[in-house]
């Protein structure tokens, strides 16, 4: 410890000596005086004066300059107003936003069976009114709520410009939707129809055009399709159980009949043996 302190003291002593030597050399060379002369001196006249606040001029409300050609015409207002869809009053719906995190997707079997039933229903409709089958996807009944229609059907039967279309359900309840001719689909109003009728992924709809701007909509529900298939499976299982019971009953009846026949044969044999013994004893 003592040796370390001596080393530190010696280092500090050497450093102090070097600083003193450097100062002495600078004094001999007059470097300190030269540095003072080279340092810029402050100019008292160069101090900026405080800025004076500017007096604001009162605003003069003058009419805007207009061309002499339209000076006598009323001014144009560019304020945007509410846009009503094609002159129709917008229908309001009392529903809540669907939970997009808990979507339920239909299986391919249920979806195909619903389409099959919708095609069967379409075959029974009046052929004078064109129709088509539209299976429901998640984008049709949740989230975006955009329903694209078959382009060939739209170009052949539907209006060439945007038009309000009426959808009539099985209960003869009308709903207004906006048909976009350029995109060949239903936009405004379709969301309310889908939610009011509780459409889900896998449902199949039959659209029948009963007038140029009116669709009759038949709904084939996926959950009902599943229930029908389950019922059919249950009926098949019950039929198989009944057949198995009938087979069991028939097998039991055959076994009982065979047993009775064997008993009768045994009785006949015993009778024959008894009669034979009697005849032998008489002899």
């Amino acid at each position: 410890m003592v040796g370390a302190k001596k080393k530190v003291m010696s280092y500090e002593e050497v450093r102090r000596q070097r600083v003193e030597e450097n100062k002495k050399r600078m004094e001999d060379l007059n470097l300190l005086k030269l540095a003072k002369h080279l340092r810029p001196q402050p100019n008292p006249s160069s101090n900026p004066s405080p800025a004076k606040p500017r007096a604001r001029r009162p605003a003069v409300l003058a009419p805007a300059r207009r061309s002499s050609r339209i000076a006598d015409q009323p001014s144009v207002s560019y304020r945007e107003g509410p846009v009503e869809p094609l002159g129709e009053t917008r229908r309001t719906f009392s529903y809540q936003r669907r939970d997009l995190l808990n979507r339920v997707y239909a299986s391919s079997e249920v979806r195909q069976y619903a389409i099959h039933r919708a095609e069967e229903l379409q075959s029974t409709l009046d052929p004078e009114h064109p129709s088509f089958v539209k299976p429901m996807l998640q984008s049709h009944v949740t989230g975006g709520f955009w329903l694209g229609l078959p382009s060939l059907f739209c170009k052949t039967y539907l209006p060439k410009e945007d038009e309000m279309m009426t959808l009539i359900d099985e209960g003869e309840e009308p709903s207004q939707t906006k048909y976009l001719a350029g995109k060949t689909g239903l936009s405004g109003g379709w969301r309310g129809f889908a939610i009011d009728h509780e459409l889900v992924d896998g449902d199949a709809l039959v659209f029948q055009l009963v007038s140029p701007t009116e669709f009759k909509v038949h709904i084939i529900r996926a959950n009902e399709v599943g229930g029908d298939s389950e019922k059919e499976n249950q009926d098949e299982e019950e039929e198989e159980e009944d057949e198995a019971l009938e087979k069991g009953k028939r097998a039991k009846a055959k076994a009982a009949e065979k047993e009775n026949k064997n008993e009768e044969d045994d009785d006949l044999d015993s009778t024959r043996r008894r009669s034979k013994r009697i005849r032998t004893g008489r002899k």
Side-chain angles (χ1 to χ4, degrees), residues 259-272:
E259 186 176 356
N260 293 333
K261 186 176 181 181
N262 292 335
E263 290 179 355
E264 291 177 357
D265 293 340
D266 293 340
D267 294 339
L268 182 59
D269 292 339
S270 60
T271 304
R272 288 177 179 175

Side-chain angles (χ1 to χ4, degrees), residues 75 119 148 181 201 238 271 282:
S75 59
E119 291 175 348
D201 180 54
E238 291 179 355
T271 304
R282 288 179 181 177

Side-chain angles (χ1 to χ4, degrees), residues 122-123 125-126 129-133 153 157 206-209 215:
Q122 182 186 16
S123 63
L125 300 178
D126 188 358
H129 299 289
S131 60
F132 63 89
V133 175
F153 185 93
Y157 301 105
V206 181
F207 288 82
Q208 184 182 20
L209 189 65
F215 274 116

Side-chain angles (χ1 to χ4, degrees), residues 12 93 102 115-116 120 128 135 145 149 185 190 233:
E12 291 293 336
F93 301 93
N102 297 323
I115 295 173
H116 176 69
E120 289 181 349
E128 293 184 0
F145 289 98
L149 305 181
W190 167 252
N233 293 334

